[in-house]
Amino acid sequence: MSALTLSTSSAATLRADAVVIGIAKGRPSGKAAVSVAPGGEAVDTAFGGKLATTLDTLGASGAEGEVTKVPAPASGVKAPVVLAVGLGEAPAEGEPFAPEVLRRAAGSAARALSGTKKAAFALPVEDVAAVAAVAEGALLGAYAFTAYRGNSGDAGKDAAGKKSAKAEKAGDASAPLAEIAVVGAKPRDKEHKAAVERAQVLADEVHRARDLINTPSNDLTPKTFAAQAQAAAKEHGLKAEVLDEKALAKGGYGGILGVGQGSANPPRLVRISYTHPKAEKTLALVGKGITYDSGGISLKPAGHNETMKSDMSGAAAVFGAVVAAARLGVRANVTGWLALAENMPSGTATRPGDVLTMYSGKTVEVLNTDAEGRLVLADALTRACEESPDALVDVATLTGAMVLALGKRTFGVMANDEAFRTAVHEVAEDAGEDSWPMPMPAYLRQGMDSPVADIANMGDRMGGGLVAGLFLQEFVTEGTPWAHLDIAGPSFNESGPYGYTPKGGTGSAVRTLLRLAEETAEGGLG
Ligand code: BES
Ligand code: MN
Ligand code: ZN
């Protein structure tokens, strides 16, 4: 994890390997195609006020995500390199840059500086929200998954799984930017300090989720995932309980067992909880944790299974968010449920046509073993409701249909209560995560009518993401405000990195869930 400091020094005199400044589109003075954003004044002065013209000459446009490196002038700037990152259109006179614009720009800059030791970020930080955004973006952009690089499986990691100093040393082009100084922030200001501390914990926990998602399924099984939850609980003072396959059988968790029974790696249900002594409300979070989704007997064809190690992204997000809430001392109780199973075909696997008796007592005809996420979630949702939380949110890479509907960067939000759905959508936007409210049309329920059981695990193909939501709703106890986030699109980035989003596991929903916990503490939810 990169170190982050707040600095009152001028960007020009700060000892660093690079200075990051922002540039916006437009020709306010009628000269250059770009303008230097607030925060970059000292650097511009060292360029004799010609930094915008220089960047213009180099073809910089100020577009979001654009990165242009220029050598520092002979004198006036201590760092050898100036990196200009695009901020898009400048906001209206007197308005600040949007936090998400700053977050993405800081992320793009941090990525472009991997292999560098220390960078000073001299971006427009006019308020505490901007300080937080720059800190978050830079930290989230400074990520690399290197555990499997080199000649040993644990290359770069010590026995505790921490990256060694060697792996993080500067000069290694794949090593993330090691030190981030946010210039213009106030190191002695309480709010600024809190914002930075929050950004650090947040980025840490997003990185925890990304690492879990990127870990291949031969190393991340329900058992090893559960062990990591227990270890983190111990480290950060949370409580963790793990139900193994025997306990699951005793408890009647037919959904989780049915999905996991075909695998040599048996399933687990983890309850990881954080309690605050002064908490008034409890938020329950449920995550889909399919450590590998082969589809089971309804096997996925080649071309659809290569990224299915990421089918535990929901559980990873819940895990990260619960630990983040604990580390930040959020004044709410947060209970995470990780529904962990590996979906494999074998002689012991659930067959299409089998009927499972779920934890709730309802029976499910499994028409398609590839619709496994809703089965493990159903048991966890019913179990979570027994504790009467004030609000319940599940997160899952649930359907390909949601990816078709919303694309790869937006998750769907469904809920049994319209006001709650709106609240979750708004909290996500606040956190800098793209989401969209989706309906749960009642007529789609009849597509899941089964001739032999209470419900089938599949219904109409059209609107498949909504059908999955309707299935889950059957296992939520009435009266519990519940929302369902289908993160199948944004959880795993198969194309190139952008902003603070790396290739591979993204840590989607961690930031939204942490904000939800904070809102719960502030009494705004549940
Ligand atoms: N894990 C998949 C959904 C998924 C697809 C996640 C693509 C990420 C990217 C899920 O278990 C699944 O297979 N869903 C089926 C449901 C269908 C059989 C009703 C799907 O979406 O095709
Ligand atoms: Mn599946
Ligand atoms: Zn799945």
Side-chain angles (χ1 to χ4, degrees):
M1 180 73 176
S2 321
L4 191 133
T5 51
L6 297 180
S7 177
T8 43
S9 309
S10 152
T13 56
L14 200 80
R15 200 175 294 280
D17 302 298
V19 184
V20 176
I21 57 126
I23 52 172
K25 284 182 173 180
R27 301 173 182 272
S29 58
K31 285 183 224 140
V34 298
S35 60
V36 175
E41 297 87 352
V43 176
D44 189 25
T45 303
F47 275 86
K50 295 215 158 32
L51 182 52
T53 324
T54 305
L55 289 163
D56 188 8
T57 311
L58 291 171
S61 71
E64 284 186 38
E66 179 191 77
V67 171
T68 311
K69 285 185 189 173
V70 284
S75 68
V77 179
K78 265 235 170 80
V81 175
V82 173
L83 185 149
V85 63
L87 298 171
E89 299 290 346
E93 190 71 30
E95 293 287 314
F97 281 88
E100 181 60 7
V101 167
L102 296 174
R103 213 180 270 120
R104 289 184 188 176
S108 295
R111 279 193 302 102
L113 290 168
S114 56
T116 307
K117 189 155 184 302
K118 179 173 181 180
F121 284 68
L123 292 168
V125 287
E126 282 134 328
D127 53 18
V128 66
V131 171
V134 169
E136 282 177 24
L139 289 167
L140 290 172
Y143 174 80
F145 183 67
T146 52
Y148 292 83
R149 295 257 188 239
N151 43 25
S152 102
D154 282 324
K157 289 206 168 180
D158 65 15
K162 293 263 186 302
K163 280 199 198 90
S164 69
K166 194 169 155 240
E168 281 191 351
K169 80 170 195 293
D172 175 352
S174 69
L177 174 63
E179 281 180 62
I180 295 155
V182 180
V183 178
K186 305 182 198 124
R188 267 176 289 279
D189 180 303
K190 249 199 183 145
E191 281 196 324
H192 284 209
K193 273 210 303 225
V196 165
E197 192 200 311
R198 183 182 183 278
Q200 258 164 330
V201 169
L202 183 79
D204 245 0
E205 297 306 325
V206 169
H207 291 180
R208 181 198 299 281
R210 289 174 179 175
D211 283 350
L212 284 164
I213 297 163
N214 290 329
T215 301
S217 306
N218 53 338
D219 282 343
L220 190 78
T221 63
K223 190 175 159 181
T224 64
F225 196 141
Q228 289 208 37
Q230 281 174 313
K234 200 169 166 203
E235 184 181 349
H236 299 291
L238 297 93
K239 198 168 139 201
E241 296 155 83
V242 179
L243 298 188
D244 63 10
E245 67 273 33
K246 278 196 199 116
L248 289 167
K250 211 169 149 208
Y253 293 86
I256 297 174
L257 286 167
V259 172
Q261 73 187 41
S263 171
N265 299 303
R268 296 285 184 269
L269 175 65
V270 177
R271 178 185 188 277
I272 179 166
S273 62
Y274 156 66
T275 51
H276 189 287
K278 290 189 183 147
E280 282 169 8
K281 301 251 158 124
T282 300
L283 173 67
L285 305 173
V286 171
K288 171 179 173 181
I290 301 298
T291 58
Y292 185 71
D293 183 11
S294 72
I297 298 294
S298 315
L299 195 64
K300 285 184 189 293
H304 292 262
N305 53 22
E306 292 82 352
T307 60
M308 282 302 141
K309 68 174 181 182
S310 68
D311 212 20
M312 34 53 71
S313 298
V318 167
F319 181 14
V322 178
V323 177
R327 289 176 65 184
L328 292 171
V330 174
R331 205 180 162 121
N333 298 326
V334 186
T335 309
W337 298 91
L338 318 179
L340 309 173
E342 186 179 49
N343 187 23
M344 295 293 270
S346 80
T348 61
T350 292
R351 316 150 192 81
D354 283 2
V355 175
L356 304 174
T357 301
M358 309 292 279
Y359 182 73
S360 75
K362 280 193 183 165
T363 56
V364 177
E365 184 185 13
V366 179
L367 290 179
N368 190 321
T369 63
D370 198 11
E372 85 296 341
R374 61 197 76 182
L375 298 173
V376 300
L377 287 169
D379 278 358
L381 285 168
T382 308
R383 176 66 188 85
C385 284
E386 285 180 356
E387 300 182 1
S388 311
D390 295 290
L392 171 62
V393 179
D394 78 73
V395 191
T397 48
L398 206 58
T399 65
M402 195 59 67
V403 191
L404 289 174
L406 296 178
K408 290 285 294 169
R409 296 188 185 187
T410 306
F411 61 76
V413 183
M414 278 165 258
N416 59 1
D417 174 294
E418 205 178 305
F420 189 46
R421 186 188 65 192
T422 305
V424 172
H425 168 58
E426 286 173 0
V427 160
E429 180 159 347
D430 232 42
E433 297 201 278
D434 250 317
S435 72
W436 201 251
M438 300 297 276
M440 295 214 294
Y443 81 92
L444 286 172
R445 170 61 183 83
Q446 70 203 30
M448 292 183 284
D449 284 348
S450 162
V452 297
D454 295 332
I455 192 170
N457 77 329
M458 237 187 75
D460 294 11
R461 198 169 71 83
M462 299 297 170
L466 319 181
V467 171
L470 283 163
F471 180 93
L472 296 179
Q473 186 170 24
E474 300 270 326
F475 297 88
V476 174
T477 310
E478 221 153 304
T480 307
W482 158 77
H484 158 60
L485 316 184
D486 190 339
I487 61 167
S491 59
F492 197 81
N493 177 24
E494 288 170 75
S495 48
Y498 56 91
Y500 51 78
T501 306
K503 204 175 162 64
T506 62
S508 172
V510 173
R511 292 182 289 144
T512 297
L513 297 182
L514 176 61
R515 281 291 312 136
L516 279 170
E518 290 167 336
E519 288 284 326
T520 304
E522 286 153 27
L525 280 186

